[in-house]
Amino acid sequence: MSVTSKEIRLASRPVGMPKDSDFEVAEATIEDPKQGEVLVRNIWMSVDPYMRGRMMDRESYVPPFQIGKPLEGGAIGQVVKSNSEKFKKGDYVNSMLGWREYFTAPAESLTQVDPKMGPIEAFLGVLGMPGLTAYAGLMRVGELKDGDTVFVSAASGAVGSVVCQLAKAHGCYVVGSAGSDEKCEWLEKEAGIDKAINYKTCGDLDAAVRDAFPKGIDVYFENVGGAHLQAAINYMKPFGRLALCGMIEQYNNTEPTPGPNNIIMAVGKSLKLQGFIVSNHFDLLPAFYEEMSKLISSGKMKWHQTVEEGIENAPKAFLNLFSGKNFGKMLVKVGTDPAV
């Protein structure tokens, strides 16, 4: 018995900022699972800035999306029918087959989600790829030490907010940047950081960073690029570490952007600038889950999420990432969780 599933396909490769017309809503027939497979109904799906790179036809650390094919991304769903001993009907699973309502897949390609650890959608945020990205970037790449001074750009986002709270849990002085007073207030009052900078209204960002770090920066967690990176380099301490996670400011550029004009300071200050991809750090999952479960259960890890309803609104959710309309993790609620 087959089911009909709506899905979002790439209609054309975006040039500059993506548009609604770059996506199309289509229907597909999903067949019953074969031996070793399961049929899954998605409940939540994630949209993330890195997906913009996959819309370009170029070699990267993940293959590009194909025109006329459904997009892919993190999703949490529930097994509707199982032809595998690994999962039974009703189990929650994590996959990279978002942007669609239903799918069949080999059971071995899916990861079971334990709803006792937290809300199932949290496995797309604080307990999922964004959370592990924050943990790996801060702890391994940034080589965080207790009591460090830490600067985080896009600090209210899905990754940045976890970085901020992890650093605070290790006794650090933490300053984050965000693009609205509401986000800055949340960072200071809920996430508990020491200072939040509204980069849209602070005037001179360089001066704001200087004033926030009179003794300099030990660790900079980079999510934005541009003026943020330049300011961070200016005020890094000798032997400071810069974890380069993303540079969303440049994702939709059609022409190369001039780099920081102070990169030479990395030599004299003996700075470490290291880019990283979360998939290279999956070995940290046990340590990540151990620390995060303690922080969540003790109320020391909080999160905010922005939700769009319905698979048809997935493109809208994705586009809103680039105009700062998301507060925390951007999610799409694809279907209803019968357990709620």
Side-chain angles (χ1 to χ4, degrees):
M1 177 177 157
S2 60
V3 296
T4 300
S5 171
K6 289 181 182 177
E7 61 187 27
I8 307 298
R9 298 174 181 172
L10 186 66
S12 58
R13 298 201 181 279
V15 177
M17 182 70 73
K19 309 178 295 298
D20 287 333
S21 59
D22 293 321
F23 306 88
E24 64 175 343
V25 181
E27 288 190 349
T29 299
I30 310 299
E31 301 294 339
D32 267 2
K34 299 174 184 176
Q35 188 61 40
E37 294 184 337
V38 293
L39 171 65
V40 176
R41 179 180 60 86
N42 277 332
I43 300 171
W44 294 92
M45 60 162 277
S46 172
V47 293
D48 300 281
Y50 82 88
M51 295 175 178
R52 177 63 181 87
R54 294 192 68 185
M55 294 175 186
M56 304 166 106
D57 190 11
R58 66 181 184 189
E59 187 174 343
S60 185
Y61 61 92
V62 284
F65 295 131
Q66 298 301 308
I67 293 175
K69 300 291 185 181
L71 291 98
E72 299 173 350
I76 303 296
Q78 190 169 37
V79 174
V80 175
K81 188 172 183 179
S82 176
N83 234 334
S84 166
E85 294 181 356
K86 184 176 180 181
F87 298 115
K88 64 181 184 300
K89 182 179 179 180
D91 284 346
Y92 294 103
V93 293
N94 194 334
S95 78
M96 285 301 291
L97 292 170
W99 298 84
R100 67 202 77 193
E101 293 177 314
Y102 289 85
F103 65 86
T104 55
E108 295 302 320
S109 68
L110 308 175
T111 304
Q112 188 159 0
V113 165
D114 182 2
K116 295 178 182 177
M117 286 185 67
I120 58 171
E121 66 269 25
F123 286 87
L124 296 174
V126 293
L127 289 171
M129 183 190 70
L132 181 60
T133 300
Y135 185 84
L138 184 65
M139 309 304 289
R140 176 174 281 172
V141 180
E143 299 175 2
L144 187 76
K145 300 178 180 65
D146 290 358
D148 274 346
T149 56
V150 179
F151 180 35
V152 185
S153 57
S156 66
V159 174
S161 60
V162 177
V163 174
C164 286
Q165 293 174 88
L166 280 172
K168 285 305 300 178
H170 286 264
C172 297
Y173 170 80
V174 181
V175 176
S177 71
S180 74
D181 290 340
E182 179 189 14
K183 293 176 181 179
C184 288
E185 182 178 10
W186 183 86
L187 284 166
E188 291 182 354
K189 293 185 177 180
E190 296 294 325
I193 72 172
D194 298 280
K195 183 177 178 60
I197 298 171
N198 185 336
Y199 68 89
K200 292 184 178 179
T201 61
C202 70
D204 185 345
L205 178 62
D206 188 272
V209 174
R210 178 198 63 208
D211 293 345
F213 289 98
K215 297 181 180 180
I217 304 168
D218 291 303
V219 179
Y220 172 50
F221 197 101
E222 170 68 296
N223 290 308
V224 176
H228 278 82
L229 179 56
Q230 178 141 332
I233 291 173
N234 276 337
Y235 304 108
M236 296 299 297
K237 293 180 183 179
F239 301 101
R241 291 87 67 199
L242 294 85
L244 308 181
C245 176
M247 297 187 185
I248 195 171
E249 188 177 283
Q250 299 177 28
Y251 288 178
N252 296 309
N253 288 353
T254 55
E255 297 292 336
T257 302
N261 62 23
N262 60 348
I263 193 69
I264 192 174
M265 295 176 72
V267 178
K269 291 186 174 186
S270 300
L271 302 180
K272 181 182 98 166
L273 294 84
Q274 181 178 334
F276 72 99
I277 304 299
V278 67
S279 56
N280 293 327
H281 301 280
F282 284 158
D283 61 299
L284 292 176
L285 267 172
F288 163 67
Y289 281 143
E290 181 180 3
E291 179 150 2
M292 291 297 284
S293 60
K294 290 178 182 177
L295 292 175
I296 290 173
S297 62
S298 64
K300 294 181 179 179
M301 179 61 62
K302 300 179 181 179
W303 60 90
H304 204 286
Q305 58 193 33
T306 303
V307 177
E308 291 287 345
E309 299 271 353
I311 191 72
E312 300 88 348
N313 285 317
K316 174 185 175 184
F318 176 72
L319 297 178
N320 283 346
L321 290 172
F322 300 99
S323 56
K325 292 181 181 178
N326 63 302
F327 187 165
K329 183 76 189 84
M330 179 67 89
L331 295 169
V332 177
K333 192 168 186 182
V334 180
T336 302
D337 183 356
V340 176

